[in-house]
Amino acid sequence: MSRTILRYVKHRITQHPDTDVTFEAECLAYPCEWTANASPDGAAVDVECMSHTGRTGHTSFRRVCTSFALVVRTE
């Protein structure tokens, strides 16, 4: 009969050090196809959305924040 040895290793997840977080937005008003320029500055994307609202009256946006993760052992 064989025996199995289980070893539990703790890990943590963190933002990948060689990447930036990227913010994006797109207008949800149909048939508007406006999108904000992708940027590492979330506030700049928000300003673009508010400017678009001022020009068009469109008030709904999908905002996306993309980051890349790295999982490493804590030991």
Side-chain angles (χ1 to χ4, degrees):
M1 180 160 56
S2 64
R3 294 177 61 180
T4 302
I5 298 173
L6 299 176
R7 179 173 179 246
Y8 296 94
V9 179
K10 291 187 179 186
H11 291 80
R12 66 182 170 92
I13 190 166
T14 184
Q15 183 177 325
H16 195 288
D18 297 333
T19 63
D20 291 323
V21 175
T22 303
F23 299 90
E24 302 173 64
E26 64 180 274
C27 182
L28 296 179
Y30 181 79
C32 185
E33 295 182 3
W34 178 88
T35 60
N37 294 320
S39 172
D41 182 6
V45 172
D46 290 347
V47 168
E48 286 190 58
C49 291
M50 290 184 281
S51 296
H52 180 71
T53 297
R55 288 189 308 274
T56 64
H58 300 166
T59 58
S60 298
F61 300 88
R62 175 181 294 121
R63 296 190 307 169
V64 179
C65 174
T66 304
S67 67
F68 294 92
L70 183 64
V71 175
V72 295
R73 288 183 177 184
T74 58
E75 300 176 349

